[in-house]
Amino acid sequence: MDDLSARCRDVVAVGLSVGGTLALHLAAGRPDKLRGVVVINPFMRRPEFAFAPLIRLFTRSVRGVGNDIKKPGQDEVCYDRIPVKAIGQLWTLMRRTDRELPALALPLLVMASTEDHTVKPGNAERVMKRAGSERKQFVRLNNSYHVATLDFDAEAIRDRTLGFLDAVSSVGPPPG
């Protein structure tokens, strides 16, 4: 991000699912380098992940998840197995990012599928509720499942994201 922000006037963090969690963490921790943050179906809460250290005593990996796409013919490249240790680390990141949300002051765009079989809609609602940003927008994606960027709402996501980028890039001097 340091390299990108040194070469570009406007940088916005954008992420889907766990990428959304990472984008929010980055935005909370490095607001001086960013103009805003866009998250699609952010993965912020999964209480059972707290049991990863215990589960790791019995198995090293669990079945992967993926392809939660409504649009026929689309395919997401995903892992067959997920290391339990990684799930524990993701739990730590989720908790840390959740604690950081009230300090998030950058413009925020949250997009969430109404039907998502991977991440509960409450995740996006929690981000909206807890984020400290005064400039935040919430968009419901009514025709996509979790991997909305490959689904029927992909064009709407692109258009909303580009509109958000236009809006935040025209505000004030460059960061840093």
Side-chain angles (χ1 to χ4, degrees):
M1 188 182 71
D2 289 333
D3 180 58
L4 186 61
S5 64
R7 294 183 291 121
C8 302
R9 175 185 162 91
D10 300 316
V11 179
V12 172
V14 180
L16 165 71
S17 191
V18 173
T21 307
L22 289 168
L24 291 164
H25 175 66
L26 184 63
R30 300 294 305 274
D32 58 314
K33 300 289 183 182
L34 297 170
R35 289 284 190 173
V37 61
V38 177
V39 294
I40 304 114
N41 294 322
F43 197 7
M44 293 293 299
R45 305 224 0 122
R46 196 70 173 269
E48 61 270 26
F49 281 12
F51 298 105
L54 179 62
I55 294 168
R56 192 161 180 245
L57 297 173
F58 302 98
T59 185
R60 293 285 181 215
S61 66
V62 295
R63 186 175 58 84
V65 295
N67 274 326
D68 189 21
I69 303 170
K70 187 176 188 178
K71 187 177 186 179
Q74 287 295 90
D75 189 32
E76 173 192 20
V77 177
C78 42
Y79 296 105
D80 292 331
R81 309 282 302 169
I82 300 171
V84 175
K85 184 174 183 176
I87 293 170
Q89 292 170 337
L90 177 56
W91 171 248
T92 299
L93 174 67
M94 289 173 164
R95 286 190 351 240
R96 177 179 299 144
T97 304
D98 188 64
R99 286 191 308 267
E100 294 169 339
L101 284 174
L104 177 63
L106 292 169
L108 172 66
L109 172 60
V110 177
M111 293 182 262
S113 298
T114 53
E115 187 175 357
D116 185 331
H117 306 104
T118 305
V119 173
K120 293 179 181 174
N123 283 258
E125 294 161 5
R126 184 172 179 88
V127 169
M128 285 298 292
K129 180 181 175 185
R130 291 185 48 77
S133 177
E134 291 181 16
R135 293 181 56 197
K136 49 189 171 182
Q137 304 168 32
F138 186 80
V139 176
R140 280 271 175 222
L141 305 172
N142 295 313
N143 200 21
S144 294
Y145 296 156
H146 183 66
V147 190
T149 53
L150 295 178
D151 218 325
F152 289 112
D153 289 312
E155 190 173 321
I157 292 168
R158 183 200 68 214
D159 292 347
R160 284 297 199 128
T161 302
L162 289 174
F164 180 82
L165 296 174
D166 284 343
V168 299
S169 66
S170 63
V171 177

